[in-house]
Amino acid sequence: MKRFAMLAAAGLLTFSAANAQFRQRQQEPDTKTLKEAYKDYFMVGVAVNQRNISNPEEAAIVTR
């Protein structure tokens, strides 16, 4: 029983540490765009229609 409790505690600590790292990565915005990331490999573009750019949130994604 003692061994199980120790394994459970170790698992919980590992999970907590991994979860903290995941949350920290989520909060740090990645400012590199897809175009910047692949600039040495190929050109990146986008094809849109009027519906795609009528929503301001979607238009911001396209222009970024």
Side-chain angles (χ1 to χ4, degrees):
M1 187 67 165
K2 212 178 205 185
R3 184 177 180 180
F4 176 75
M6 289 179 65
L7 286 173
L12 184 59
L13 285 172
T14 302
F15 175 76
S16 296
N19 192 30
Q21 288 177 348
F22 176 74
R23 287 181 183 269
Q24 183 179 7
R25 277 190 235 128
Q26 277 186 321
Q27 292 173 356
E28 296 172 0
D30 186 12
T31 57
K32 187 183 278 190
T33 63
L34 186 65
K35 182 180 177 181
E36 292 168 342
Y38 288 97
K39 69 181 178 183
D40 295 333
Y41 302 100
F42 51 85
M43 295 174 65
V44 175
V46 63
V48 297
N49 60 29
Q50 185 63 35
R51 182 174 165 240
N52 296 121
I53 57 174
S54 61
N55 180 333
E57 291 175 0
E58 292 174 359
I61 292 171
V62 171
T63 55
R64 180 173 175 229

